Amino acid sequence: MLILLPVCRNLLSFLRGTCSFCRRTLRKQLDHNLTFHKLVAYMICLHTAIHIIAHLFNFEHYSKSRQATDGSLASVLSTLPQREKGEESWLNPISSPNTTVEYVTFTSIAGLTGVIITIALVLMVTSAMEFIRRSYFEVFWYTHHIFIIYFIGLGIHGIGGIVRGQTEESLNASHPHRCAESFKRWDDHDSHCKHPQFEGLPAESWKWILAPGVLYIFERILRFYRSQQKVVITKVVMHPSKVLELQMNKRGFSMEVGQYIFVNCPSISYLEWHPFTLTSAPEEDFSIHIRAAGDWTENLIRAFEQQQSPIPRIEVDGPFGTVSEDVFQYEVAVLVGAGIGVTPFASILKSIWYKFRQADHNLKTQTIYFYWICRETGAFAWFNDLLASLEREMEELGKVDFLNYRLFLTGWDSNIAGHAALNFDQATDILTGLKQKTSFGRPMWDNEFSTIANAHPRSVVGVFLCGPQALTKSLSKRCHQYSSLDPRKVQFYFNKENF
């Protein structure tokens, strides 16, 4: 019942919009949708294992009871006639001593669907492992969609009636509390107990999956309708380090900062949809930056590099809400991007530029700290123009302290470091052309958090990250460490991008 709800992205975006004035702790739960999805999946696996093991024990008891000749209650119940008064009244699914457990498993509705949905579950869970998703996304994408077979099998799993109970009429005539001990006298004329009659219990699973199934189908229909609306590519830019920028226009498209879209290119794959964070501001045509990180992205970049061929058709679904939408709800915001993880913050920084140009007085945020960590110098060229424009804008408006940004280079050689050291006294950085000098290595987060806490002793600080898991643990730990126990003093709230 719960497994589909966290992946109904339109539902989550709607809840995020209607919950815009809710407490932060309540809104943050929406950002853990994929974590909740995985947790529910793990619980399904655990209870599936328990369910299967219990059935194995049941079948062992069924088999022994059918082969028993000791005249016990179990053996008597196992030899009940298959049909009585035109109805199936059997209790033991193993109808004869020669019937095997394997035969019952693969010829009964419950057994066959059980095998199918168990195999489907194993395939879905194993293909969703981090290594498979990162290295073989297509395997994960296609295999995960056999959840349709899983839900169909789950819905009909119980209709065979292999789990049975005594009929109401038989229960009134021969209640087990009264008749179980006298089973040897059921055939006697003077006995008040008759042979019990049994019937299959009605299937119940469809009741639990019907509502979320309908909701998910409606979600997919809505997403399909939106994805069919025409997308016009207005500009294509090839950036260093194999990054493609697409600027697009779509009728009725409306976005907020930090949101993301799903992109499909039919000429590469009809069924694959990949999520990309919007790097544009709401005030302009929407854009995305795509880094080569697999077969699909490499093929897409290659298709746009071939100037002689027509521009590939792009389909867009979205936008969908993320945690970055809340950035302007904080007095102080700390933005941390690693590599291409800078994309949601590019949208935020562009929106800030527009807000200052339009003299927006409703901006709650007073200070932004922006950290961008890259492995190679070419990556900084992706948004150099944006940072340079922000530098000029802040100087002209006398708000130099509003945006504090730091660029960190984690991959370099001695030539780059030596060249930067020789030109350190120049007004602009030798690597980026910006006034802010590039730092070599990784940020010293303890120093950064301590400085921010001292500079804003009574502020609520929102920390936003789009980056790897190791950085997530580090920043989450420091948010807890540097938050004051006094709620009136500085508080750090950690927010992580999830797609």
Side-chain angles (χ1 to χ4, degrees), residues 6-48:
V7 291
C8 290
R9 299 176 187 271
N10 283 298
L11 174 64
L12 295 178
S13 295
F14 172 76
L15 292 176
R16 180 180 291 279
T18 57
C19 196
S20 58
F21 297 103
C22 298
R23 294 180 59 187
R24 290 189 181 94
T25 51
L26 181 61
R27 285 173 57 80
K28 279 173 67 67
Q29 304 315 310
L30 297 175
D31 305 322
H32 301 305
N33 61 311
L34 294 183
T35 302
F36 182 71
H37 179 73
K38 294 175 185 176
L39 178 62
V40 173
Y42 295 147
M43 295 306 295
I44 289 174
C45 292
L46 173 64
H47 289 90
T48 297

Side-chain angles (χ1 to χ4, degrees), residues 86-124:
E87 297 180 357
E88 294 184 343
S89 60
W90 55 271
L91 180 60
N92 192 333
I94 299 180
S95 57
S96 73
N98 297 325
T99 303
T100 63
V101 172
E102 292 78 10
Y103 177 81
V104 175
T105 300
F106 289 99
T107 56
S108 64
I109 294 176
L112 190 58
T113 57
V115 170
I116 292 173
I117 64 179
T118 301
I119 294 174
L121 181 64
V122 170
L123 291 174
M124 284 189 290

Side-chain angles (χ1 to χ4, degrees), residues 382-394:
W382 302 339
F383 300 107
N384 255 14
D385 293 340
L386 170 61
L387 292 173
S389 298
L390 284 169
E391 277 186 343
R392 291 193 299 270
E393 191 71 22
M394 298 304 151

Side-chain angles (χ1 to χ4, degrees), residues 67-187:
Q67 295 172 4
T69 57
D70 56 0
S72 62
L73 176 61
S75 63
V76 170
L77 291 173
S78 296
T79 56
L80 289 175
Q82 288 294 306
R83 299 187 68 84
E84 188 171 309
K85 297 180 181 179
E87 297 180 357
E88 294 184 343
S89 60
W90 55 271
L91 180 60
N92 192 333
I94 299 180
S95 57
S96 73
N98 297 325
T99 303
T100 63
V101 172
E102 292 78 10
Y103 177 81
V104 175
T105 300
F106 289 99
T107 56
S108 64
I109 294 176
L112 190 58
T113 57
V115 170
I116 292 173
I117 64 179
T118 301
I119 294 174
L121 181 64
V122 170
L123 291 174
M124 284 189 290
V125 172
T126 53
S127 66
M129 296 173 62
E130 183 76 13
F131 170 76
I132 300 295
R133 289 204 327 271
R134 294 289 182 185
S135 304
Y136 306 97
F137 183 83
E138 293 83 358
V139 174
F140 157 73
W141 180 261
Y142 292 118
T143 306
H144 222 61
H145 279 74
I146 63 176
F147 81 89
I148 299 171
I149 298 174
Y150 179 88
F151 269 86
I152 293 173
L154 185 62
I156 65 177
H157 183 55
I159 65 174
I162 200 170
V163 178
R164 304 176 70 78
Q166 201 170 348
T167 64
E168 187 176 352
E169 181 183 353
S170 175
L171 199 60
N172 292 330
S174 305
H175 198 281
H177 290 172
R178 178 164 45 87
C179 300
E181 297 298 329
S182 59
F183 66 91
K184 292 183 178 180
R185 292 185 284 110
W186 284 347
D187 293 328

